[in-house]
Amino acid sequence: PEKYNCVSKLNKLPPNILSLLKSAGEIGDKLNYKVFVVGGFVRDLILNRPNFDIDIVIEGDGIEFAEEFNKRLNGTINTYASFGTATVILETGEAIDIVTARREYYEHPAALPKIEKSSIWSDLFRRDFTINCMALQLNEKKFGTLLDYFGGLEDLENKKIRILYNLSFIEDPTRIFRAIRFAARMNFAIEEETKEFICKAISENMIKKLSEDRIREELVSILKDSYPHLGLKLLTEYGVINNLNSDLIIDADIIEKVQNITKSIKEFDSFNIEISKYKVIVLQILSSVNNLDEVMNLFFTTSHFEEIKNTLAHKNSIYEALLAENLDKYHLFTLLKGLSIESLVFYYNDCNDEYMRHYIMLYMLILRNISIHVTGEDLKKLNISPGPIYKKIFDEILKAKILGLVYSKEDELKFIEKNNLLGK
Ligand code: CTP
């Protein structure tokens, strides 16, 4: 398995990361423990994708190692003695997870003799996919040596997501979601047998064994990853969506619209408003669901429920109004004002109509910024006593302004007089 050396790739890492890995190796040498960095870090290093989430496995006493390591780095340490794990938090806030490789004995079936595998082997074998099961040794003499017991490198080259053992999805059904997340992120294929095991686990109702929170976390991870429309497509193809809730129907149109969201958000870039892409995606996914109450909590805990319901409930009437022949600017303003930026981006993305998009942009660019000059002080000077009438006057002036009837403060004051807004 030691067929590949990653030294040159390690040497190209940011110096602080490289020196951290070297320190880990030195401390391992001092304590006479084998030290490995494992999992996603190794996968992404080989793929040249930046990932500085460092998971360390120690063949030896992980906690003793972590304490030495922490001393060297001047960090803060949390230890979990019963698990043999620790987290070292650096001054920069980054966390490094350290685990003790569990010594397990691997028993070959039938007549073959018992073979004791090294603990790093056992530690890697418990994991999810071959591409996530590689380790790099950090001890000085073997710095950068790749341990690839399960064909991870080959699967990386062939772009395959493959489990290590048949019961993987039964033991840990979150791996169904993880397989889809990695496949979508890197545009990898899920290997045939792995695919069958996913389907088998779903048909055996394994997803239902996960808590609502776990399922939500996994869905959120897929939808917040790089290519959410691909994740959604796989979730649908594998029957995960249908298994989660049969009211939730994702068709090709929705998948395409989810794909378009990135482009739509770009159109709003110049407004410098923070947009939650995730919220727009969820609105798009839920856009044709009838029974929202049942489905929303797959994506959000209680927050945002009202906003989602309102945005979707008003969708058709807003589209109809935007297309009406007699739509004037003030009506456009009243239709869209008060909507969250995510609702606006959602309508923009979902409507598929250039006129509607134009109107939404007109609102964003111009109408929402229009304000009036006249203040409460001005109205007091006109001897109007404060009360609900103020708001009525402001609204009328704003309307006139949006419609282009007034411009300056002088215009506004004249407008008050001319239209008998004083309530006298
Ligand atoms: N892992 C696993 N089964 C899980 C979760 C995690 O086997 N259900 C293992 C994998 O080997 C994974 C490692 O634990 O590489 C770390 O998990 P995590 O940080 O969730 O995954 P990453 O692979 O680092 O993914 P990401 O790039 O999304 O951070």
Side-chain angles (χ1 to χ4, degrees):
E2 295 179 10
K3 57 179 172 183
Y4 190 88
N5 191 298
C6 284
V7 171
S8 62
K9 284 191 186 260
L10 287 169
N11 282 333
K12 284 186 206 132
L13 287 170
N16 57 330
I17 305 282
L18 180 62
S19 88
L20 209 136
L21 296 174
K22 288 200 162 154
S23 303
E26 284 163 24
I27 291 166
D29 288 341
K30 188 172 128 195
L31 299 174
N32 208 11
Y33 294 153
K34 285 189 186 166
V35 182
F36 304 91
V37 58
V38 301
F41 177 88
V42 181
R43 176 196 70 218
D44 289 339
L45 183 81
I46 296 172
L47 290 175
N48 299 318
R49 289 169 166 256
N51 175 353
F52 304 125
D53 249 346
I54 297 177
D55 289 312
I56 285 180
V57 175
I58 302 297
E59 270 188 6
D61 183 342
I63 297 204
E64 182 192 3
F65 170 90
E67 273 160 359
E68 285 284 315
F69 192 48
N70 182 54
K71 246 190 261 162
R72 170 86 73 100
L73 298 173
N74 250 330
T76 317
I77 186 167
N78 295 322
T79 56
Y80 310 93
S82 50
F83 297 103
T85 65
T87 306
V88 170
I89 301 157
L90 306 182
E91 280 167 324
T92 50
E94 283 149 309
I96 297 168
D97 286 320
I98 294 155
V99 311
T100 306
R102 277 192 289 162
R103 191 162 284 282
E104 281 172 13
Y105 298 89
Y106 182 68
E107 218 168 313
H108 274 284
L112 286 170
K114 256 188 199 174
I115 294 174
E116 185 190 323
K117 293 284 183 180
S118 70
S119 354
I120 181 72
W121 185 94
S122 308
D123 190 277
L124 295 171
F125 186 65
R126 289 185 286 117
R127 291 168 184 260
D128 52 4
F129 310 115
T130 58
I131 59 165
N132 289 340
C133 293
M134 290 180 280
L136 288 179
Q137 195 161 349
L138 299 178
N139 301 79
E140 197 184 345
K141 287 206 175 109
K142 292 211 162 185
F143 189 74
T145 305
L146 181 74
L147 295 195
D148 177 20
Y149 294 110
F150 311 106
L153 194 57
E154 193 181 333
D155 283 336
L156 264 191
E157 277 160 7
N158 296 326
K159 301 173 171 275
K160 287 260 152 59
I161 308 290
R162 183 197 307 269
I163 43 163
L164 277 72
Y165 53 95
N166 300 357
L167 290 177
S168 192
F169 294 118
I170 304 283
E171 273 176 19
D172 180 355
T174 60
R175 291 176 175 172
I176 297 170
F177 295 86
R178 291 173 61 84
I180 289 174
R181 171 153 60 92
F182 292 122
R185 179 195 297 174
M186 303 183 286
N187 205 2
F188 277 25
I190 298 177
E191 176 274 328
E192 281 308 314
E193 235 185 351
T194 302
K195 210 180 258 187
E196 280 165 28
F197 284 120
I198 292 183
C199 294
K200 191 155 173 281
I202 294 174
S203 70
E204 284 172 18
N205 259 328
M206 294 315 293
I207 294 181
K208 299 264 152 65
K209 303 231 150 106
L210 297 172
S211 71
E212 214 177 72
D213 287 342
R214 285 302 289 282
I215 292 176
R216 188 184 315 106
E217 276 167 31
E218 294 297 332
L219 284 176
V220 170
S221 296
I222 291 174
L223 296 175
K224 286 193 174 173
D225 218 296
S226 320
Y227 303 103
H229 71 286
L230 292 181
L232 200 56
K233 190 161 170 243
L234 290 172
L235 285 169
T236 310
E237 279 171 11
Y238 283 95
V240 177
I241 294 289
N242 190 52
N243 190 272
L244 288 174
N245 193 309
S246 54
D247 283 334
L248 186 55
I249 295 183
I250 311 277
D251 56 17
D253 180 57
I254 292 196
I255 290 170
E256 192 186 334
K257 284 176 173 173
V258 168
Q259 183 176 10
N260 292 340
I261 287 173
T262 310
K263 208 167 105 215
S264 295
I265 287 180
K266 276 224 171 72
E267 304 287 330
F268 286 71
D269 264 1
S270 61
F271 305 118
N272 272 328
I273 303 173
E274 201 177 312
I275 299 169
S276 156
K277 181 176 178 188
Y278 178 71
K279 210 199 273 179
V280 182
I281 291 173
V282 173
L283 280 164
Q284 196 62 74
I285 290 175
L286 298 179
S287 57
S288 52
V289 171
N290 294 322
N291 208 343
L292 278 175
D293 284 321
E294 303 265 317
V295 184
M296 276 188 300
N297 50 18
L298 284 173
F299 303 98
F300 282 115
T301 51
T302 52
S303 62
H304 308 295
F305 277 15
E306 279 312 302
E307 183 187 340
I308 286 176
K309 276 197 200 168
N310 282 330
T311 306
L312 297 176
H314 296 133
K315 180 181 114 154
N316 289 334
S317 64
I318 288 192
Y319 289 178
E320 224 169 275
L322 288 176
L323 289 177
E325 277 187 19
N326 54 357
L327 177 73
D328 65 41
K329 284 184 188 165
Y330 183 69
H331 191 193
L332 175 59
F333 173 81
T334 56
L335 279 175
L336 302 184
K337 80 165 182 191
L339 293 178
S340 70
I341 188 68
E342 287 84 6
S343 302
L344 290 166
V345 176
F346 162 67
Y347 291 143
Y348 184 92
N349 186 70
D350 175 76
C351 69
N352 247 339
D353 181 283
E354 284 315 309
Y355 281 100
M356 291 198 225
R357 289 190 175 154
H358 169 79
Y359 287 136
I360 293 171
M361 276 302 151
L362 176 66
Y363 169 79
M364 285 303 296
L365 273 166
I366 305 194
L367 305 184
R368 76 187 169 108
N369 299 317
I370 294 180
S371 59
I372 61 174
H373 299 289
V374 165
T375 64
E377 283 305 307
D378 297 319
L379 296 189
K380 267 191 213 152
K381 281 186 204 148
L382 292 172
N383 288 328
I384 311 174
S385 37
I389 180 106
Y390 274 39
K391 181 168 178 340
K392 206 175 144 236
I393 295 173
F394 293 147
D395 284 347
E396 285 294 325
I397 301 174
L398 184 64
K399 179 174 177 180
K401 195 147 188 184
I402 289 174
L403 291 174
L405 304 174
V406 297
Y407 182 72
S408 64
K409 182 162 183 179
E410 219 179 345
D411 294 343
E412 291 177 14
L413 290 167
K414 268 191 212 144
F415 178 83
I416 294 174
E417 232 168 288
K418 210 163 89 198
N419 291 280
N420 282 327
L421 295 182
L422 299 181
K424 289 178 183 164

